[in-house]
Amino acid sequence: MSTEAMLGFVMAGAFVLYALFGGADFGGGVWDLFASGPRKAEQRTLIARAMGPVWEVNHVWLIVGMVLMFAGFPRAFAALSVALHVPLTLLMLGIVFRGAAFTFRAYDSRGYAAERQWGLVFSIASVVAPLLLGMCVGAVASGDIRVEGRVVVSGFFASWLSPFAWAVGVLALTLFAFLAAVYLTHEAHTEGLREDFRRRALGAGVAVFLAALAVLLLARGGAPRVWEGLLRSPFALVLHGATAVAAVTAFALLWTRRFQWARLAAAFQAGLIVLGWAASQYPYLVVPDITLSGAASSTSTQRVLLVAVVIGALTVVPSIALLFRVFRPRPEGTSTPGPHA
Amino acid sequence: MSMTDLLYARAQMGLSLAFHIVFAAAGVALPVLMVLSDWKARRTGDADYVKLSHKLAKGTAILFAVGAVSGTVLSFELGLLWPDFMGQYGEVIGLPFSLEGVAFFTEAIFLGIYLYGRERVSPGLHLFSGIMVAVSGAASAFFVTLVNVFMNDPSGFVATPDGPTQVQPLVAMFSPGWPYQTAHVLLSCYQASAFAMAGIHAFVLLRHPGAAFHRKALSVALPLACVTALLQPLVGDLSAKHVAKAQPVKLAAMESHFETERGAPLRLGGVTVPKALSILAFGDPDAEVRGLNEFPRDTWPPVAKVHAAFQVMVATGSAMALLSLLTLLYRWRKKAWPAGRKMMWAWLISGPMGLVALEAGWLVTEWGRQPWIVRGFMRTADAVTPVPHLAAPFWTFTLVYLFLGIVVVALLKRQVAGTLPDRDEGPVTGRGVKGDDAHVH
């Protein structure tokens, strides 16, 4: 396997992990916004407790993906930075307000009103950011970003405001909300809360299906390369088949209240959707003008990057395992002690 | 690309860095202070140290979060504002950025365990997590400074009209002068944070003399402040000597030195010290110091700004070193950290000086590198994005940073207010102290 294919694979892996963890974080913010019913406050507390220790870690996957892109595929990074300047700037604002508000909410000691104000900022940013993220992905896949030499010639708006890009944005939003709801069924300590998030997960699962259908239908006209990629290669077909199986399984497990397994199936489903996107546009990084090999940095850089990835994995993986072990949901009956520093 | 868009891009980058650097410095140093007080608490069982480590943990959490989001913004902005820089040199400087990513990852993981795991993990693992936060914070600052070293003194590639080739990532990562600049930056992070912390507690002690909690907090901050403030001039001198050799035009701008001369004098404010510049720059009273006149006009950095920033850095640095010397003398003679009003005033006034020196020093480096983004190879003007209307993001981020800055100051103020003697003098008993829970739900 060529170094650029390996790096491309690692980069796709970082984006999968960002979707699974960072995505669930965004989804937590969505459910904070739509908290309702008799257990409104408890829902929000559960979300904050589940996210508190891990939210910063969950977002480092985005940095990892970005660093790999500009070090491994600098030309693609430069072109995307120009073509997607506007949505990426807005996404940055979303990320800033989301992270800052989440922390300020935890440390603002002025009481409930202040907490709710920060909560509102946090949750609105959590809805806007995934939408923008999905729109950027949609733009990259659509083939609407055109690059001649080093110059982006397709303007700063059209590519990410197309119906296809919007549909991908909605898919990202619903997918993240779905993931969060499924994860939270397992984190919940009471029957009531679990049922709240089960209902939300089932609803979001239907929304994911509808959004994915819309993306597929719009891809024919809006992203011909992806449409072809989705249907052409046998490898892609296997991926999509597996995604469908995971989706149905997750739904069935939720239905029958096997929450721990449902969580695993939902993660598989989301991971496969991201991988399916990557596979369907391979070997392009930015469809149709920039390929992996065309944007790749020199072999010497790619080699040391792969070494850095290994060093990173050896450092980060055991640490993350420790983090998730420390904060794994406690068995039923034992209430989680309040975080305390 | 209009000139004004270039200025807005530079202003936005500068503002983002100036903002981020404060939080980054705190993210490097506060974990050390936090672990130190935690360790003292464990050793002495003293309730005040327990409370102090809790307070520092909360301060770290707030500052780290803002540092993390503003750092994420910066990694986007590198591309959004300077796409050609990243498009061409991204691969040359990718290695230190990747390792910085690893360090940042580790920092975030162990900070999560430290902040939320106090009651879930063993005391040993808890302290270990704190140490890991401190170590990875330092590593992160180290790697990211290497990128700046490269921009000042690029190496490890062969330039062609199409961009760099024959890239040697390890050579580029350790461009000449790396030990000086990384040491200077790391020290400045510890120094700035320790002085800020000392200043805050000196302020409270002036109003509430003898407040035990604040005396102890001061005793944690002062050793770090004194040691770093005394080491910094030595490291700074080595750093300047390297700049004199490697970037003579930057040195000339720093010193506002227009004509090449042997036995060059040092001009500080209105005072002229004969031969001092030659001694400082080359360790030889008769050494020749090249003046700006030797370099083409269009490669001069903005001389007045670089010179002013340099003067500010040296002045505040000297003041901090002098105060540290006095404080250590006092400590040696009286076997106690100073507590008198005069010394408290001195520490209060010097509280912000570490940050001022840090920002000024960073401006010296960045303004001093202009008009280049990669010195000698790529001009800043050639790297800027073709996207128009850059005034809009500039003003947006200015307002966002202003807002975040105000909120952070308010939150930290409330943290300190919770420790004032007239409001709360009781010992910490479990979760008893109001507002002492890390996370108010």
Side-chain angles (χ1 to χ4, degrees):
Chain A
M1 205 199 249
S2 65
T3 50
E4 68 251 23
M6 277 155 86
L7 266 186
F9 194 77
V10 175
M11 201 164 74
F15 287 129
V16 167
L17 290 168
Y18 184 54
L20 293 188
F21 295 110
D25 254 30
F26 284 125
V30 173
W31 295 123
D32 185 286
L33 185 64
F34 294 116
S36 60
R39 287 172 296 274
K40 201 168 161 173
E42 292 161 59
Q43 290 167 5
R44 289 189 170 134
T45 307
L46 173 67
I47 293 165
R49 283 228 169 125
M51 280 175 58
V54 291
W55 76 268
E56 276 164 335
V57 174
N58 288 345
H59 281 267
V60 185
W61 294 113
L62 176 66
I63 309 272
V64 172
M66 283 207 6
V67 170
L68 287 176
M69 186 183 271
F70 73 61
F73 308 95
R75 212 163 72 79
F77 182 77
L80 291 179
S81 296
V82 174
L84 300 174
H85 185 101
V86 181
L88 288 178
T89 302
L90 297 173
L91 175 64
M92 254 160 39
L93 286 174
I95 289 174
V96 167
F97 276 108
R98 192 177 170 288
F102 184 77
T103 305
F104 294 167
R105 175 170 72 171
Y107 293 95
D108 196 330
S109 49
R110 286 174 306 165
Y112 186 73
E115 210 177 294
R116 269 324 297 150
Q117 277 170 19
W118 291 125
L120 200 63
V121 175
F122 159 70
S123 54
I124 290 174
S126 298
V127 172
V128 176
L131 203 60
L132 286 161
L133 197 67
M135 289 165 89
C136 290
V137 169
V140 171
S142 69
D144 293 341
I145 296 175
R146 298 308 306 264
V147 186
E148 284 172 12
R150 281 202 183 117
V151 182
V152 174
V153 291
S154 52
F156 307 118
F157 290 97
S159 65
W160 56 279
L161 285 172
S162 69
F164 174 73
W166 273 103
V168 178
V170 173
L171 176 61
L173 180 60
T174 53
L175 185 65
F176 293 170
F178 170 68
L179 270 181
V182 179
Y183 290 179
L184 286 166
T185 56
H186 185 56
E187 300 269 347
H189 299 291
T190 66
E191 197 56 42
L193 272 178
R194 213 170 286 142
E195 286 303 312
D196 284 352
F197 284 106
R198 175 175 171 265
R199 267 198 310 280
R200 284 167 173 75
L202 291 170
V206 173
V208 169
F209 175 73
L210 293 175
L213 196 66
V215 168
L216 189 69
L217 293 177
L218 288 166
R220 195 169 187 170
R225 182 75 190 73
V226 170
W227 171 256
E228 219 180 285
L230 282 170
L231 303 172
R232 198 193 42 182
S233 81
F235 177 63
L237 279 178
V238 171
L239 260 178
H240 302 309
T243 311
V245 171
V248 172
T249 312
F251 216 80
L253 289 167
L254 269 177
W255 193 262
T256 54
R257 297 190 170 77
R258 273 168 265 187
F259 296 117
Q260 195 167 357
W261 289 106
R263 170 152 124 143
L264 200 66
F268 257 101
Q269 177 192 350
L272 288 171
I273 289 178
V274 179
L275 272 185
W277 155 56
S280 65
Q281 70 167 59
Y282 182 83
Y284 294 98
L285 254 177
V286 184
V287 182
D289 291 326
I290 300 181
T291 58
L292 275 176
S293 58
S297 53
S298 59
T299 325
S300 56
T301 301
Q302 302 235 328
R303 283 207 192 109
V304 297
L305 281 178
L306 287 169
V307 173
V309 165
V310 173
I311 295 173
L314 291 177
T315 319
V316 166
V317 171
S319 312
I320 286 199
L322 175 68
L323 177 77
F324 284 122
R325 210 171 64 88
V326 168
F327 297 105
R328 69 178 180 270
R330 293 287 158 107
E332 213 163 331
T334 58
S335 74
T336 321
H340 197 264
Chain B
M1 169 50 52
S2 71
M3 270 318 283
T4 45
D5 273 330
L6 173 62
L7 282 179
Y8 278 122
R10 285 187 56 194
Q12 186 181 334
M13 196 71 198
L15 180 80
S16 304
L17 272 163
F19 182 82
H20 174 70
I21 237 168
V22 177
F23 297 92
V28 171
L30 278 192
V32 172
L33 294 161
M34 168 182 99
V35 168
L36 274 178
S37 43
D38 222 356
W39 183 67
K40 280 200 167 188
R42 263 163 231 272
R43 233 184 29 159
T44 62
D46 186 311
D48 281 329
Y49 284 123
V50 174
K51 188 167 161 188
L52 181 64
S53 70
H54 285 207
K55 289 283 171 192
L56 284 168
K58 277 188 243 181
T60 306
I62 296 169
L63 296 170
F64 181 82
V66 178
V69 293
S70 58
T72 307
V73 168
L74 275 173
S75 57
F76 274 96
E77 278 179 342
L78 282 171
L80 291 176
L81 298 172
W82 319 105
D84 272 348
F85 167 52
M86 295 311 282
Q88 292 196 32
Y89 289 92
E91 64 169 300
V92 192
I93 52 172
L95 183 59
F97 267 126
S98 311
L99 295 174
E100 197 252 346
V102 174
F104 176 55
F105 222 139
T106 319
E107 194 180 359
I109 293 168
F110 284 101
L111 189 65
I113 297 179
Y114 187 88
L115 290 179
Y116 287 79
R118 202 180 279 268
E119 291 177 354
R120 289 189 167 211
V121 300
S122 68
L125 179 55
H126 190 250
L127 196 63
F128 171 77
S129 306
I131 293 169
M132 285 300 287
V133 176
V135 170
S136 41
S140 168
F142 173 78
F143 289 124
V144 89
T145 304
L146 289 180
V147 177
N148 194 265
V149 172
F150 171 86
M151 292 163 78
N152 281 313
D153 212 349
S155 62
F157 65 93
V158 174
T160 71
D162 286 332
T165 58
Q166 299 176 42
V167 178
Q168 295 175 276
L170 275 167
V171 177
M173 177 155 139
F174 294 104
S175 285
W178 70 268
Y180 312 115
Q181 201 181 328
T182 50
H184 198 48
V185 165
L186 273 171
L187 269 180
S188 73
C189 293
Y190 296 120
Q191 187 180 356
S193 305
F195 269 82
M197 178 172 160
I200 290 170
H201 294 290
F203 175 72
V204 179
L205 284 169
L206 278 168
R207 287 177 146 193
H208 309 276
F213 173 80
H214 295 275
R215 293 287 311 272
K216 287 171 192 165
L218 200 63
S219 79
V220 171
L222 286 185
L224 189 64
C226 292
V227 171
T228 51
L230 289 175
L231 282 177
Q232 190 65 292
L234 305 175
V235 175
D237 177 57
L238 291 176
S239 197
K241 283 192 166 63
H242 175 74
V243 169
K245 265 193 301 182
Q247 296 171 265
V249 64
K250 183 187 266 184
L251 182 86
M254 280 154 65
E255 301 289 359
S256 206
H257 184 65
F258 284 88
E259 305 289 333
T260 301
E261 56 187 316
R262 289 188 167 280
L266 189 67
R267 300 176 189 92
L268 273 177
V271 191
T272 306
V273 188
K275 300 200 185 236
L277 181 54
S278 288
I279 296 174
L280 277 178
F282 297 100
D284 168 6
D286 293 316
E288 181 183 89
V289 182
R290 294 166 79 190
L292 285 157
N293 63 338
E294 283 204 22
F295 303 92
R297 190 64 217 248
D298 72 335
T299 60
W300 288 15
V303 179
K305 286 189 202 167
V306 176
H307 181 59
F310 184 64
Q311 301 258 31
V312 169
M313 180 185 77
V314 171
T316 46
S318 310
M320 286 186 285
L322 193 67
L323 177 59
S324 298
L325 203 59
L326 283 176
T327 302
L328 286 179
L329 275 176
Y330 187 100
R331 167 96 179 108
W332 180 57
R333 297 273 302 268
K334 305 264 172 86
K335 306 273 179 270
W337 293 107
R341 287 188 72 77
K342 274 184 190 154
M343 284 300 263
M344 286 307 104
W345 269 107
W347 278 100
L348 168 60
I349 291 165
S350 63
M353 275 188 197
L355 279 175
V356 170
L358 177 65
E359 296 278 6
W362 165 70
L363 286 172
V364 170
T365 287
E366 299 297 271
W367 277 334
R369 192 188 61 240
Q370 297 306 324
W372 303 100
I373 194 164
V374 181
R375 190 178 59 87
F377 294 98
M378 181 183 260
R379 281 175 187 261
T380 313
D382 295 330
V384 73
T385 179
V387 175
H389 307 302
L390 293 180
F394 167 74
W395 287 113
T396 308
F397 278 97
T398 305
L399 291 176
V400 168
Y401 287 138
L402 198 64
F403 171 74
L404 290 181
I406 292 170
V407 173
V408 167
V409 170
L411 288 182
L412 292 181
K413 209 176 134 198
R414 266 178 239 136
Q415 288 288 325
V416 176
T419 65
L420 292 185
D422 52 345
R423 283 181 48 177
D424 167 21
E425 232 167 346
V428 184
T429 49
R431 309 183 57 180
V433 175
K434 193 194 167 302
D436 207 43
D437 289 335
H439 307 280
V440 185
H441 293 302

